[in-house]
Amino acid sequence: SFTMGKFKSGLLFGGLLGAGLMWLSVTKKGKEVREQILDHAAIVYPKIKAQVLASDQYKKLNKNQYVKLVKEYVDKYAIENGLAESVKNMVVKVVAAQYGKLKD
C-alpha cells in the first residue's frame, strides 16, 4: 500500500542512514536483506510507538530507555518470527534510530 511504502521509505532514510546500512543497497542479496529488515522494522516500530505513547513514562523516556525497550521487544519478536541474529540486530538499529521521530 502507498502509506506502507511511504512509511518504509521514511524508515529507510531515517533508520538505515542512522544505522549505516547503505551498503545493503549494492547487491541483489543486500537489497533483499534490506527489504526484509524494513518489513520487520515497519511492523515493530508502530507497536513500540503505541506501547510508549500508552505508558505514563512517555514524557520522561530518554533514548537509552527507548533503545532498551526496542531491544526487549525485538528479542521477543525475533524468536516468534525466526529472525537471524544479524537481521534482528539491524531491526533494533533501524527502530532505535526512530527515537527522534517518536518525540515529535
Side-chain angles (χ1 to χ4, degrees), residues 49-91:
K49 184 177 180 178
Q51 195 177 331
V52 168
L53 294 177
S55 76
D56 298 336
Q57 290 85 30
Y58 167 64
K59 293 271 187 266
K60 291 179 271 186
L61 188 77
N62 66 34
K63 186 162 186 178
N64 287 344
Q65 292 165 319
Y66 172 72
V67 171
K68 187 176 179 230
L69 191 74
V70 169
K71 282 182 179 164
E72 288 169 4
Y73 191 93
V74 175
D75 278 344
K76 283 186 226 151
Y77 177 85
I79 292 165
E80 290 165 7
N81 293 278
L83 299 193
E85 188 72 15
S86 58
V87 172
K88 180 186 89 170
N89 293 338
M90 294 296 194
V91 171

